[in-house]
């Protein structure tokens, strides 16, 4: 996973002295992640809300494409080091593609039954967590990181499902997207703060929470 250039040594090597930005706090990472991915999710779910793409498989593919293309760009604000935008966009696209393929395998494999969406999210997010940890050279605490991401994502997704049932029509579908994005983004914000701990440990005068 060195290809992405997020190992602490690689980031420090390409960062001029004194020009590495101060790491965002955990609270900022969670809030920013929630709001930024919430906005991306609103855009993605508009495809579902307004039936912009016909056919189930095509619609899911279009929604996934929005997440894949925009989420990494939105979250790159939380990534330390120069050149983070392009590098993290590529990393997140890889991780999200893996997640999406796993989710679709469960959803279509189980035909939407037997909690297919929950199983798909669990396995897909576990793979995403592993890939992100590998890319940032974080080799410990996999289970806590995955558990937090999964908890935020699941709460957002099912809170959105409730809103979708309570509010009819396209508005309910959009609310589902917003809630899902807020939860997913909060979890991703936490994960990004978590995986960058090895780098923060090497920065002078930065207290690690």
């Amino acid at each position: 996973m060195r290809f992405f250039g997020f190992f602490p040594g690689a980031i420090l090597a390409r960062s001029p002295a004194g020009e590495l930005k101060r790491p965002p706090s955990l609270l900022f990472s969670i809030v920013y992640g929630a709001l930024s991915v919430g906005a991306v999710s609103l855009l993605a779910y508009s495809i579902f809300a307004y039936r912009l793409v016909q056919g189930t498989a095509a619609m899911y593919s279009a929604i996934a494409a929005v997440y894949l293309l925009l989420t990494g760009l939105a979250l790159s604000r939380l990534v330390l080091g120069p050149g983070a935008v392009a590098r993290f966009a590529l990393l997140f696209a890889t991780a999200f593609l893996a997640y999406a393929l796993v989710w679709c395998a469960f959803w279509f494999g189980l035909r939407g039954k037997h909690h297919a969406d929950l199983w798909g999210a669990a396995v897909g997010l576990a793979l995403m967590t592993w890939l992100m940890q590998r890319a940032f050279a974080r080799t410990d605490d996999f289970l806590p990181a995955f558990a937090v991401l999964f908890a935020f994502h699941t709460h957002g997704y099912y809170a959105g499902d409730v809103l979708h049932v309570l509010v009819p029509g396209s508005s309910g579908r959009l609310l589902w997207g917003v809630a899902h994005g807020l939860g997913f983004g909060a979890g991703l914000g936490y994960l990004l703060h978590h995986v960058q701990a090895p780098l923060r440990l090497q920065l002078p005068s930065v207290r690690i929470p």
Side-chain angles (χ1 to χ4, degrees):
M1 300 293 283
R2 291 180 178 274
F3 168 78
F4 295 105
F6 286 119
F7 277 60
I11 294 175
L12 293 172
R14 66 174 183 266
S15 302
E19 293 189 14
L20 194 61
K21 64 185 180 183
R22 183 174 180 81
S25 68
L26 176 59
L27 177 60
F28 179 86
S29 297
I30 291 174
V31 173
Y32 177 84
L35 295 177
S36 60
V37 181
V40 172
S41 191
L42 176 63
L43 181 61
Y45 268 71
S46 67
I47 297 172
F48 166 55
Y50 299 112
R51 303 290 195 261
L52 299 179
V53 176
Q54 300 301 312
T56 302
M59 182 184 70
Y60 282 139
S61 297
I63 292 172
V66 173
Y67 279 112
L68 187 147
L69 293 173
L70 298 183
T71 307
L73 296 176
L75 291 175
S76 63
R77 166 70 177 79
L78 301 176
V79 180
L80 299 173
V85 175
R87 291 173 184 273
F88 184 71
L90 180 59
L91 170 59
F92 185 82
T94 302
F96 186 83
L97 180 61
Y99 159 81
L101 290 174
V102 169
W103 191 92
C104 287
F106 275 91
W107 179 258
F108 291 109
L110 296 175
R111 300 183 179 182
K113 301 176 181 178
H114 311 296
H115 305 291
D117 50 355
L118 185 63
W119 284 109
V123 179
L125 291 173
L127 180 56
M128 176 180 285
T129 302
W130 182 81
L131 289 170
M132 297 285 280
Q133 289 210 159
R134 290 281 296 171
F136 284 89
R138 182 74 192 257
T139 58
D140 61 338
D141 292 334
F142 166 81
L143 285 178
F146 161 68
V148 173
L149 175 59
F150 179 70
F152 271 122
H153 175 276
T154 302
H155 278 88
Y157 182 83
Y158 286 108
D161 191 18
V162 171
L163 292 172
H164 174 230
V165 172
L166 293 176
V167 180
S170 58
S171 296
R173 292 189 284 269
L174 289 175
L175 286 173
W176 192 356
V178 171
H180 182 196
L182 289 173
F184 193 17
L188 288 170
Y190 170 85
L191 181 61
L192 279 174
H193 188 270
H194 165 81
V195 297
Q196 293 181 96
L199 174 60
R200 296 199 307 275
L201 285 169
Q202 297 187 37
L203 299 181
S205 70
V206 175
R207 180 176 177 271
I208 306 302

